[in-house]
Short mmCIF file of all heavy atoms in Angstrom, two decimals:
data_model
loop_
_atom_site.label_atom_id
_atom_site.label_comp_id
_atom_site.label_asym_id
_atom_site.label_seq_id
_atom_site.Cartn_x
_atom_site.Cartn_y
_atom_site.Cartn_z
N LEU B 348 -5.65 5.69 -6.75
CA LEU B 348 -6.59 6.78 -6.48
C LEU B 348 -5.99 8.17 -6.67
O LEU B 348 -6.37 9.12 -6.00
CB LEU B 348 -7.16 6.63 -5.07
CG LEU B 348 -8.09 5.41 -4.89
CD1 LEU B 348 -8.46 5.22 -3.43
CD2 LEU B 348 -9.34 5.56 -5.76
N GLN B 363 -2.59 5.70 -2.78
CA GLN B 363 -3.72 5.05 -2.14
C GLN B 363 -4.44 4.19 -3.19
O GLN B 363 -4.48 4.56 -4.38
CB GLN B 363 -4.69 6.07 -1.55
CG GLN B 363 -4.11 6.92 -0.42
CD GLN B 363 -3.25 8.07 -0.92
OE1 GLN B 363 -3.51 8.64 -1.99
NE2 GLN B 363 -2.24 8.42 -0.17
N LEU B 374 -10.50 -0.06 0.97
CA LEU B 374 -9.45 0.94 0.82
C LEU B 374 -8.15 0.42 1.41
O LEU B 374 -8.15 -0.17 2.50
CB LEU B 374 -9.84 2.23 1.53
CG LEU B 374 -10.82 3.17 0.83
CD1 LEU B 374 -11.30 4.23 1.81
CD2 LEU B 374 -10.17 3.83 -0.37
N ASP B 376 -4.54 1.64 2.84
CA ASP B 376 -3.73 2.77 3.32
C ASP B 376 -4.24 4.10 2.76
O ASP B 376 -3.58 4.75 1.93
CB ASP B 376 -2.26 2.57 2.93
CG ASP B 376 -1.54 1.61 3.86
OD1 ASP B 376 -2.20 1.02 4.74
OD2 ASP B 376 -0.32 1.43 3.69
N PRO B 377 -5.41 4.57 3.22
CA PRO B 377 -6.01 5.76 2.61
C PRO B 377 -5.29 7.07 2.86
O PRO B 377 -5.63 8.07 2.24
CB PRO B 377 -7.42 5.80 3.22
CG PRO B 377 -7.32 5.02 4.47
CD PRO B 377 -6.29 3.96 4.23
N GLY B 378 -4.27 7.08 3.72
CA GLY B 378 -3.39 8.24 3.76
C GLY B 378 -3.66 9.22 4.88
O GLY B 378 -4.48 9.00 5.77
N GLY B 379 -2.94 10.35 4.80
CA GLY B 379 -3.02 11.37 5.83
C GLY B 379 -4.15 12.36 5.59
O GLY B 379 -4.90 12.29 4.62
N TYR B 380 -4.24 13.32 6.50
CA TYR B 380 -5.34 14.28 6.52
C TYR B 380 -5.43 15.08 5.23
O TYR B 380 -6.52 15.30 4.69
CB TYR B 380 -5.14 15.22 7.72
CG TYR B 380 -6.15 16.32 7.84
CD1 TYR B 380 -7.37 16.11 8.48
CD2 TYR B 380 -5.89 17.59 7.31
CE1 TYR B 380 -8.30 17.13 8.59
CE2 TYR B 380 -6.81 18.61 7.42
CZ TYR B 380 -8.02 18.37 8.07
OH TYR B 380 -8.94 19.38 8.16
N VAL B 382 -4.64 14.52 2.14
CA VAL B 382 -5.01 13.88 0.87
C VAL B 382 -6.44 13.36 0.90
O VAL B 382 -6.93 12.81 -0.09
CB VAL B 382 -4.05 12.73 0.50
CG1 VAL B 382 -2.61 13.22 0.45
CG2 VAL B 382 -4.18 11.55 1.46
N PHE B 383 -7.12 13.54 2.02
CA PHE B 383 -8.44 12.91 2.19
C PHE B 383 -9.42 13.32 1.09
O PHE B 383 -10.11 12.47 0.52
CB PHE B 383 -9.04 13.25 3.56
CG PHE B 383 -10.46 12.80 3.69
CD1 PHE B 383 -10.77 11.47 3.95
CD2 PHE B 383 -11.51 13.69 3.51
CE1 PHE B 383 -12.08 11.03 4.05
CE2 PHE B 383 -12.84 13.28 3.61
CZ PHE B 383 -13.11 11.94 3.88
N GLU B 384 -9.52 14.60 0.80
CA GLU B 384 -10.54 15.06 -0.16
C GLU B 384 -10.37 14.39 -1.51
O GLU B 384 -11.33 13.90 -2.11
CB GLU B 384 -10.48 16.57 -0.31
CG GLU B 384 -11.55 17.13 -1.24
CD GLU B 384 -11.52 18.64 -1.33
OE1 GLU B 384 -10.70 19.28 -0.63
OE2 GLU B 384 -12.32 19.20 -2.11
N ARG B 385 -9.12 14.36 -2.02
CA ARG B 385 -8.87 13.74 -3.31
C ARG B 385 -9.16 12.24 -3.29
O ARG B 385 -9.80 11.70 -4.19
CB ARG B 385 -7.43 14.01 -3.74
CG ARG B 385 -7.05 13.47 -5.12
CD ARG B 385 -6.23 12.20 -5.04
NE ARG B 385 -5.06 12.39 -4.22
CZ ARG B 385 -4.38 11.39 -3.68
NH1 ARG B 385 -4.74 10.15 -3.88
NH2 ARG B 385 -3.32 11.62 -2.91
N VAL B 386 -8.70 11.55 -2.24
CA VAL B 386 -8.91 10.10 -2.15
C VAL B 386 -10.40 9.79 -2.05
O VAL B 386 -10.91 8.88 -2.72
CB VAL B 386 -8.14 9.51 -0.94
CG1 VAL B 386 -8.43 8.01 -0.81
CG2 VAL B 386 -6.64 9.73 -1.10
N PHE B 387 -11.12 10.54 -1.23
CA PHE B 387 -12.55 10.30 -1.06
C PHE B 387 -13.31 10.52 -2.37
O PHE B 387 -14.15 9.69 -2.76
CB PHE B 387 -13.11 11.22 0.03
CG PHE B 387 -14.58 11.03 0.27
CD1 PHE B 387 -15.05 9.97 1.03
CD2 PHE B 387 -15.50 11.92 -0.26
CE1 PHE B 387 -16.40 9.79 1.25
CE2 PHE B 387 -16.86 11.75 -0.06
CZ PHE B 387 -17.32 10.69 0.71
N GLN B 388 -13.04 11.62 -3.06
CA GLN B 388 -13.74 11.90 -4.32
C GLN B 388 -13.45 10.84 -5.37
O GLN B 388 -14.36 10.38 -6.07
CB GLN B 388 -13.34 13.28 -4.83
CG GLN B 388 -13.90 14.43 -4.01
CD GLN B 388 -13.46 15.78 -4.52
OE1 GLN B 388 -12.60 15.89 -5.39
NE2 GLN B 388 -14.04 16.83 -3.98
N ASN B 389 -12.20 10.42 -5.48
CA ASN B 389 -11.84 9.44 -6.50
C ASN B 389 -12.41 8.06 -6.17
O ASN B 389 -12.88 7.35 -7.07
CB ASN B 389 -10.32 9.38 -6.66
CG ASN B 389 -9.77 10.60 -7.37
OD1 ASN B 389 -10.52 11.37 -7.98
ND2 ASN B 389 -8.47 10.78 -7.31
N ALA B 390 -12.37 7.67 -4.91
CA ALA B 390 -12.95 6.38 -4.53
C ALA B 390 -14.46 6.37 -4.78
O ALA B 390 -15.03 5.34 -5.18
CB ALA B 390 -12.65 6.09 -3.06
N SER B 391 -15.11 7.51 -4.58
CA SER B 391 -16.57 7.60 -4.74
C SER B 391 -17.01 7.43 -6.19
O SER B 391 -18.19 7.18 -6.46
CB SER B 391 -17.07 8.94 -4.20
OG SER B 391 -16.82 9.05 -2.82
N PRO B 396 -19.78 5.56 -0.64
CA PRO B 396 -19.08 5.56 0.66
C PRO B 396 -19.68 4.56 1.66
O PRO B 396 -18.93 3.93 2.41
CB PRO B 396 -19.24 7.00 1.14
CG PRO B 396 -19.36 7.80 -0.12
CD PRO B 396 -20.13 6.93 -1.08
N ILE B 399 -18.23 1.05 1.22
CA ILE B 399 -16.84 0.72 1.56
C ILE B 399 -16.88 -0.16 2.80
O ILE B 399 -17.22 0.29 3.89
CB ILE B 399 -15.99 1.98 1.77
CG1 ILE B 399 -15.85 2.72 0.43
CG2 ILE B 399 -14.62 1.62 2.34
CD1 ILE B 399 -15.04 4.00 0.50
N ILE B 402 -11.41 -0.78 5.58
CA ILE B 402 -10.24 0.09 5.45
C ILE B 402 -9.08 -0.71 6.01
O ILE B 402 -9.06 -1.07 7.19
CB ILE B 402 -10.42 1.42 6.18
CG1 ILE B 402 -11.63 2.17 5.60
CG2 ILE B 402 -9.16 2.27 6.06
CD1 ILE B 402 -11.95 3.46 6.32
N PHE B 404 -5.12 -1.26 6.79
CA PHE B 404 -3.90 -0.53 7.07
C PHE B 404 -2.71 -1.48 7.10
O PHE B 404 -2.78 -2.55 7.70
CB PHE B 404 -3.99 0.21 8.41
CG PHE B 404 -4.95 1.36 8.40
CD1 PHE B 404 -6.09 1.34 9.19
CD2 PHE B 404 -4.72 2.46 7.60
CE1 PHE B 404 -6.97 2.41 9.19
CE2 PHE B 404 -5.60 3.53 7.58
CZ PHE B 404 -6.73 3.51 8.38
N VAL B 411 -0.16 6.93 6.57
CA VAL B 411 -1.02 5.78 6.30
C VAL B 411 -2.39 5.97 6.95
O VAL B 411 -3.43 5.75 6.34
CB VAL B 411 -0.37 4.48 6.83
CG1 VAL B 411 -1.35 3.31 6.79
CG2 VAL B 411 0.89 4.15 6.05
N ILE B 412 -2.37 6.43 8.20
CA ILE B 412 -3.55 6.33 9.06
C ILE B 412 -4.08 7.69 9.52
O ILE B 412 -5.09 7.78 10.19
CB ILE B 412 -3.20 5.44 10.27
CG1 ILE B 412 -4.43 4.78 10.88
CG2 ILE B 412 -2.39 6.21 11.32
CD1 ILE B 412 -4.10 3.69 11.88
N GLY B 413 -3.42 8.78 9.12
CA GLY B 413 -3.73 10.09 9.67
C GLY B 413 -5.11 10.64 9.37
O GLY B 413 -5.57 11.55 10.06
N SER B 414 -5.78 10.12 8.35
CA SER B 414 -7.12 10.61 8.00
C SER B 414 -8.24 9.73 8.57
O SER B 414 -9.40 9.88 8.20
CB SER B 414 -7.27 10.67 6.48
OG SER B 414 -7.10 9.37 5.90
N LEU B 415 -7.90 8.82 9.49
CA LEU B 415 -8.87 7.83 9.94
C LEU B 415 -10.13 8.46 10.52
O LEU B 415 -11.24 7.97 10.28
CB LEU B 415 -8.23 6.89 10.97
CG LEU B 415 -9.15 5.79 11.54
CD1 LEU B 415 -9.73 4.92 10.42
CD2 LEU B 415 -8.41 4.94 12.55
N ASN B 416 -9.99 9.55 11.27
CA ASN B 416 -11.19 10.16 11.85
C ASN B 416 -12.17 10.61 10.78
O ASN B 416 -13.40 10.48 10.94
CB ASN B 416 -10.80 11.33 12.76
CG ASN B 416 -10.03 12.42 12.04
OD1 ASN B 416 -9.33 12.15 11.07
ND2 ASN B 416 -10.15 13.64 12.52
N LEU B 417 -11.66 11.10 9.64
CA LEU B 417 -12.54 11.51 8.54
C LEU B 417 -13.21 10.30 7.89
O LEU B 417 -14.41 10.33 7.57
CB LEU B 417 -11.75 12.30 7.51
CG LEU B 417 -11.12 13.60 8.01
CD1 LEU B 417 -10.18 14.18 6.96
CD2 LEU B 417 -12.20 14.61 8.37
N TRP B 418 -12.44 9.24 7.68
CA TRP B 418 -13.00 8.04 7.06
C TRP B 418 -14.05 7.39 7.96
O TRP B 418 -15.05 6.85 7.46
CB TRP B 418 -11.90 7.05 6.71
CG TRP B 418 -11.09 7.49 5.53
CD1 TRP B 418 -9.83 8.00 5.53
CD2 TRP B 418 -11.53 7.50 4.17
NE1 TRP B 418 -9.45 8.32 4.25
CE2 TRP B 418 -10.46 8.02 3.39
CE3 TRP B 418 -12.71 7.10 3.53
CZ2 TRP B 418 -10.55 8.16 2.02
CZ3 TRP B 418 -12.80 7.25 2.15
CH2 TRP B 418 -11.73 7.77 1.41
N MET B 419 -13.85 7.44 9.27
CA MET B 419 -14.84 6.87 10.18
C MET B 419 -16.18 7.57 10.04
O MET B 419 -17.24 6.95 10.12
CB MET B 419 -14.34 6.96 11.62
CG MET B 419 -13.13 6.09 11.91
SD MET B 419 -13.48 4.32 11.87
CE MET B 419 -14.42 4.15 13.38
N ASP B 420 -16.14 8.88 9.82
CA ASP B 420 -17.37 9.65 9.65
C ASP B 420 -18.02 9.40 8.29
O ASP B 420 -19.25 9.30 8.18
CB ASP B 420 -17.09 11.15 9.80
CG ASP B 420 -16.77 11.54 11.23
OD1 ASP B 420 -17.13 10.78 12.15
OD2 ASP B 420 -16.15 12.60 11.43
N MET B 421 -17.21 9.30 7.25
CA MET B 421 -17.74 9.28 5.89
C MET B 421 -18.03 7.88 5.36
O MET B 421 -18.69 7.73 4.33
CB MET B 421 -16.76 9.99 4.94
CG MET B 421 -16.52 11.45 5.31
SD MET B 421 -18.02 12.45 5.35
CE MET B 421 -18.45 12.46 3.61
N THR B 422 -17.53 6.85 6.02
CA THR B 422 -17.80 5.46 5.62
C THR B 422 -18.36 4.72 6.82
O THR B 422 -17.67 3.94 7.47
CB THR B 422 -16.52 4.78 5.10
OG1 THR B 422 -15.51 4.81 6.12
CG2 THR B 422 -15.98 5.48 3.87
N PRO B 423 -19.63 4.94 7.12
CA PRO B 423 -20.21 4.46 8.39
C PRO B 423 -20.25 2.95 8.54
O PRO B 423 -20.40 2.44 9.66
CB PRO B 423 -21.62 5.04 8.37
CG PRO B 423 -21.92 5.25 6.90
CD PRO B 423 -20.62 5.64 6.29
N ASN B 424 -20.11 2.21 7.44
CA ASN B 424 -20.19 0.75 7.51
C ASN B 424 -18.84 0.06 7.38
O ASN B 424 -18.78 -1.17 7.31
CB ASN B 424 -21.14 0.23 6.42
CG ASN B 424 -22.54 0.80 6.56
OD1 ASN B 424 -23.09 0.84 7.66
ND2 ASN B 424 -23.12 1.27 5.47
N ALA B 425 -17.76 0.84 7.36
CA ALA B 425 -16.44 0.26 7.16
C ALA B 425 -15.88 -0.34 8.44
O ALA B 425 -16.00 0.25 9.52
CB ALA B 425 -15.48 1.32 6.62
N ILE B 427 -12.32 -1.56 10.22
CA ILE B 427 -10.91 -1.23 10.15
C ILE B 427 -10.08 -2.48 10.46
O ILE B 427 -10.31 -3.15 11.46
CB ILE B 427 -10.55 -0.13 11.18
CG1 ILE B 427 -11.56 1.02 11.13
CG2 ILE B 427 -9.12 0.35 10.96
CD1 ILE B 427 -11.74 1.67 9.81
N VAL B 442 -10.07 9.33 17.71
CA VAL B 442 -11.17 8.64 17.05
C VAL B 442 -11.56 7.41 17.86
O VAL B 442 -10.69 6.71 18.41
CB VAL B 442 -10.79 8.26 15.61
CG1 VAL B 442 -9.56 7.37 15.59
CG2 VAL B 442 -11.93 7.59 14.88
N ARG B 447 -15.64 -1.41 15.59
CA ARG B 447 -15.40 -1.27 14.14
C ARG B 447 -13.99 -1.67 13.74
O ARG B 447 -13.58 -1.39 12.62
CB ARG B 447 -15.67 0.17 13.70
CG ARG B 447 -17.13 0.59 13.85
CD ARG B 447 -17.37 1.97 13.29
NE ARG B 447 -17.09 2.05 11.86
CZ ARG B 447 -17.17 3.18 11.15
NH1 ARG B 447 -17.52 4.31 11.75
NH2 ARG B 447 -16.90 3.18 9.85
#
Side-chain angles (χ1 to χ4, degrees):
L348 292 172
Q363 296 80 33
L374 281 168
D376 281 5
Y380 177 85
V382 303
F383 172 79
E384 182 177 358
R385 183 257 305 161
V386 177
F387 180 79
Q388 289 179 350
N389 287 346
S391 297
I399 293 179
I402 300 176
F404 291 116
V411 170
I412 205 168
S414 61
L415 180 57
N416 59 331
L417 298 171
W418 287 106
M419 293 291 288
D420 289 340
M421 300 302 292
T422 58
N424 300 315
I427 314 304
V442 59
R447 295 185 62 183

